[in-house]
Amino acid sequence: MSTREQKALDVSGLPTVVFGPKALLWWGTLGFVVIEGFTLVIAAASYLYLRQNEFSWPPGRTPNPSLLVPTISVAVLLAAMYPMYRADRAAKAFDRAGVIRWLLAGVALSGVAVVLRWWDLLALNVRWDTHAYGSAAWMVVVMHATLIVLDFFECMVLAVMFIT
């Protein structure tokens, strides 16, 4: 029997932590963003398609949506970007306590956004089963709500991982 020499690649000089496009998780997140972005585009296209096939849109006697709760919801979602930005900066500085603190702030704001999304549905002032307008409006809001709920759980899982 002959002994074969195996070649080995020395990876001891590679970094143990990477950020941005060098990280596999970054590419997974980018893929998720593309998929969910197309889902929202399809929902919006469905809404516009249904709209062009109706004489009046929204159908007669349908009240306009209330704008107060959705405006507050948008403000909360925009505010939730800041803690996540700070968590990103803390992670790049290898500041574990800072990551935990800012992730928990992100979880809190995401939780508020999830609760507000329920009120956003009620602010549409139409039931989903009333007509095509109601179904399309609810579809767009619910599909975006899935993204908010997933973000809430993602932040929560990351916070638990850093805490433990």
Side-chain angles (χ1 to χ4, degrees):
M1 244 192 218
S2 66
T3 309
R4 286 196 315 179
E5 185 178 319
Q6 273 190 307
K7 292 184 180 184
L9 181 63
D10 181 19
V11 295
S12 62
L14 292 176
T16 57
V17 177
V18 292
F19 296 98
K22 293 180 181 178
L24 185 60
L25 186 60
W26 187 89
W27 287 99
T29 302
L30 182 65
F32 178 74
V33 167
V34 169
I35 291 168
E36 290 302 322
F38 275 114
T39 303
L40 292 175
V41 166
I42 289 169
S46 299
Y47 178 88
L48 294 174
Y49 173 77
L50 291 171
R51 180 181 178 182
Q52 81 176 8
N53 293 329
E54 294 292 328
F55 180 70
S56 67
W57 194 262
R61 297 189 197 187
T62 303
N64 288 330
S66 302
L67 297 179
L68 177 64
V69 175
T71 303
I72 295 169
S73 182
V74 167
V76 168
L77 288 171
L78 289 173
M81 290 171 37
Y82 182 72
M84 299 315 292
Y85 170 78
R86 293 299 304 257
D88 176 61
R89 292 289 161 216
K92 288 179 180 175
F94 296 98
D95 176 15
R96 183 171 176 254
V99 171
I100 292 170
R101 179 176 51 253
W102 289 111
L103 277 177
L104 290 176
V107 167
L109 285 172
S110 294
V112 170
V114 168
V115 171
L116 285 173
R117 184 47 47 131
W118 173 256
W119 293 103
D120 284 348
L121 288 169
L122 299 177
L124 288 174
N125 294 328
V126 67
R127 287 176 43 100
W128 69 271
D129 58 354
T130 305
H131 38 61
Y133 168 78
S135 296
W138 273 66
M139 176 184 63
V140 171
V141 174
V142 167
M143 290 181 94
H144 189 255
T146 61
L147 301 177
I148 296 171
V149 170
L150 286 173
D151 177 64
F152 172 72
F153 284 111
E154 179 185 16
C155 289
M156 190 181 306
V157 167
L158 283 173
V160 167
M161 284 173 51
F162 271 92
I163 291 169
T164 58

